[in-house]
Amino acid sequence: MNRRAAAVFVFAIGFSGAAAAETYTLTIKDHKFDPSELKLPADKAATLVVKNLDGTPEEFESKPLRIEKVVPANSEATFQLRALKPGRYKFFGEFHEDSAKGELVVE
Ligand SMILES: [Cu+2]
């Protein structure tokens, strides 16, 4: 965790069951993200699942997405993403910042 007092901000978008958001998955393995560039459609809420396949925890962090959350070893976290404008939204694993980097490519 960094020293910001803020804990976890996830912008949730309300959606009803009938219009469930598409789910996209990122995995963490050997302290790298797969894929390192994940494509998402613009202007649509989405569900993002981050699966940590490593035997150590990772902190999934993205300043533009306002996400900061520890994903324990061999487990996963789910985030509801708001509808995003086209662009590139960087994320990284704060515990292995040298290798764990990626971007959401929204288009
Ligand atoms: Cu942090």
Side-chain angles (χ1 to χ4, degrees), residues 1-4 59 61 68 92 94:
M1 302 289 281
N2 68 24
R3 285 182 213 101
R4 279 184 293 155
E59 187 181 77
E61 181 155 346
E68 183 176 17
F92 61 99
E94 195 172 4

